[in-house]
Amino acid sequence: AKAVAAPSRWYETGPLTVYEALAAGLPALASARSGAAEKVAHGRTGLVLEPDVDALTQAFRALQNPGRAQDMGREAYAAYWSAPLSAERHAGEL
């Protein structure tokens, strides 16, 4: 896979697929209506977009450049593993 898309139209607190993609070194295409968008550094670890067909189409076109997708994937992996999610960390942040 080049990326993981989570283009939800409804607000979600944090779909786990976005975090799993970042942990695996895949750029995430996250809906701006998703809590997971907070974990995506737009243009660096993935893309945060409005949940509509045009925005999703543009995002997929941007990732057709294999170098850009790979760069985002490397940065996604490094960013995630510099402060990985865990039950302990979640509880501490609450």
Side-chain angles (χ1 to χ4, degrees):
K2 286 186 182 178
V4 169
S8 180
R9 290 181 172 202
W10 296 99
Y11 183 77
E12 295 183 50
T13 56
L16 294 179
T17 53
V18 171
Y19 306 120
E20 291 169 353
L22 298 173
L26 291 172
L29 307 179
S31 169
R33 297 181 192 171
S34 165
E38 295 175 358
K39 296 291 185 191
V40 177
H42 183 77
R44 293 185 18 240
T45 63
L47 300 170
V48 178
L49 50 115
E50 288 301 316
D52 63 50
V53 173
D54 291 334
L56 196 55
T57 300
Q58 289 175 4
F60 281 121
R61 284 191 180 134
L63 292 177
Q64 284 180 336
N65 176 333
R68 184 167 189 206
Q70 289 172 349
D71 289 346
M72 281 186 185
R74 278 191 290 276
E75 191 160 345
Y77 184 88
Y80 179 86
W81 289 107
S82 70
L85 297 176
S86 67
E88 294 80 17
R89 181 172 166 219
H90 177 72
E93 290 177 356
L94 286 176

